[in-house]
Amino acid sequence: MNYIFENLNQNNINQFLKLLLPSAAALIDAPNCSAWFVSLNDKTPLGCLVALNENGHSYLRNIFISPTFRRHKLATQLFNLWEQDCKSKKIQQLNCFVTLQQNELEIFSKFLSKQNFRVEKFQGEIFTFNPYTILKSKFIQKTLARKTPYIPKNWRVVRYINLSAHDLTLLRKSKSTVFPEDFDFDLDFQHLELHQSFAFFCKDDVVGYITQRRITKNIASVPIFAANQSYRGAGLIILKYYMFAVHFETPEIFQIKCHFTPKTETGRNLFLHYTENKFLRHSLEYSFNKQLP
């Protein structure tokens, strides 16, 4: 069977859109983007690879092969094209940041090892919770009997949609002074549900924050959840407040996906303890890289 390998660009991207992540499709034809596709002679799309080149590194942004054409060495040939292109541009390292379910991760990591990539480090994991399972015992008995969620004296809670200029200044300062550098209060107004994202203050101290994005009508994600360690028990108070809002304001949500990294181990343990270990480990994140000669 003959396959066609060519550069992917705006002139031919339409037939490959179903194989591309939206974020990867938006990169096509950018000056620092490299992309290829593979198809049959009749132009049936089979797969594609998109990479972004920055500061001597090339980052894999999209790799997909049609399931019926896997094990035909198509991904290997796309990776070879990527590597040859990087060598011609004097790029020093190829990078793959992978977020997959464990069984899929094992398969892809074996493929990457055959391409001489090495595992650099574990980056994090994504858990999925059912908020009604979360609320089943402790939450309903202790909190939902209240008309409003518990907030300590002198605390104030501000929804992101109501953040003042002063609040924003406090949050920006907290990123470097209170929280580890990989924490961010995530003011991505384009994607966050501002009404369901909360910042917590005690006078001019930032106690913490929790943000929400809606993935579908019934599924939400919590990209950021952080609590100031100077306020004992703040993490649980913030988590309960958020779950209270989910239960009463958006009862249609039946799944919440939360992202944790090694530096957010405390938040991860809090979620797992609070949900009585009723969760699904949705996916794992690892980074792989390959040094080029």
Side-chain angles (χ1 to χ4, degrees):
M1 190 174 294
N2 293 325
Y3 302 109
I4 298 172
F5 291 85
E6 292 184 12
N7 287 102
L8 183 63
N9 54 51
Q10 290 295 342
N11 295 326
N12 52 36
I13 191 175
N14 286 340
Q15 59 184 317
F16 293 94
L17 287 176
K18 291 183 178 180
L19 312 185
L20 289 167
L21 296 169
S23 59
L27 298 173
I28 301 301
D29 282 351
N32 58 341
C33 179
S34 301
W36 299 267
F37 71 82
V38 55
S39 67
L40 292 175
N41 286 331
D42 63 2
K43 297 186 178 180
T44 301
L46 302 182
C48 51
L49 184 151
V50 179
L52 192 66
N53 309 316
E54 292 180 336
N55 302 321
H57 290 239
S58 187
Y59 299 89
L60 182 70
R61 298 301 301 269
N62 195 112
I63 176 72
F64 184 85
I65 302 296
S66 176
T68 55
F69 283 85
R70 290 172 187 173
R71 301 185 183 278
H72 288 234
K73 304 291 185 183
L74 301 182
T76 298
Q77 293 183 62
L78 287 173
F79 265 69
N80 289 340
L81 289 170
W82 179 28
E83 184 171 339
Q84 292 165 16
D85 180 71
C86 289
K87 287 180 178 178
S88 70
K89 294 174 179 175
K90 309 298 183 185
I91 288 173
Q92 303 163 352
Q93 184 171 293
L94 309 182
N95 297 275
C96 297
F97 180 77
V98 180
T99 304
L100 290 170
Q101 293 182 0
Q102 187 156 2
N103 61 332
E104 294 174 335
L105 179 67
E106 290 172 357
I107 293 170
F108 193 53
S109 63
K110 287 179 182 178
F111 167 76
L112 289 175
S113 66
K114 290 180 181 178
Q115 310 306 313
N116 296 317
F117 279 77
R118 66 181 183 86
V119 181
E120 185 176 64
K121 58 183 176 179
F122 169 71
Q123 297 284 352
E125 52 197 328
I126 298 173
F127 290 88
T128 301
F129 304 95
N130 179 330
Y132 295 100
T133 299
I134 292 172
L135 300 171
K136 185 175 180 181
S137 57
K138 303 174 187 174
F139 207 101
I140 286 179
Q141 294 171 10
K142 292 186 178 180
T143 309
L144 295 189
R146 298 172 176 266
K147 294 182 179 178
T148 57
Y150 169 72
I151 290 294
K153 186 179 180 181
N154 298 325
W155 282 32
R156 61 187 179 91
V157 185
V158 184
R159 295 175 190 262
Y160 272 31
I161 199 170
N162 297 323
L163 287 170
S164 67
H166 180 64
D167 294 333
L168 289 171
T169 299
L170 294 175
L171 285 169
R172 291 190 180 102
K173 288 181 179 178
S174 74
K175 183 179 177 183
S176 58
T177 59
V178 180
F179 302 103
E181 289 183 1
D182 63 325
F183 277 129
D184 190 343
F185 52 90
D186 198 0
L187 285 177
D188 183 355
F189 287 94
Q190 200 170 10
H191 299 101
L192 287 180
E193 288 195 275
L194 303 182
H195 193 69
Q196 294 299 114
S197 299
F198 304 92
F200 298 77
F201 303 91
C202 182
K203 297 182 180 178
D204 278 350
D205 285 348
V206 178
V207 180
Y209 34 79
I210 188 165
T211 64
Q212 177 177 292
R213 293 180 186 173
R214 190 70 68 99
I215 300 174
T216 69
K217 177 183 177 182
N218 304 111
I219 301 175
S221 72
V222 175
I224 298 295
F225 168 53
N228 188 332
Q229 295 182 7
S230 299
Y231 288 81
R232 185 174 177 83
L236 185 58
I237 293 170
I238 292 170
L239 177 57
K240 284 187 174 185
Y241 191 99
Y242 168 71
M243 292 300 178
F244 190 97
V246 170
H247 182 81
F248 281 108
E249 298 175 14
T250 54
E252 72 275 10
I253 292 177
F254 57 74
Q255 274 190 10
I256 302 172
K257 292 185 178 179
C258 304
H259 179 231
F260 303 106
T261 72
K263 290 189 177 181
T264 57
E265 185 72 16
T266 301
R268 171 186 178 275
N269 291 339
L270 181 61
F271 263 89
L272 299 189
H273 173 74
Y274 182 59
T275 60
E276 299 171 321
N277 292 319
K278 295 169 183 172
F279 62 86
L280 168 69
R281 181 179 279 107
H282 184 69
S283 54
L284 299 170
E285 297 178 336
Y286 282 86
S287 61
F288 298 78
N289 64 51
K290 179 177 181 178
Q291 294 291 138
L292 296 180

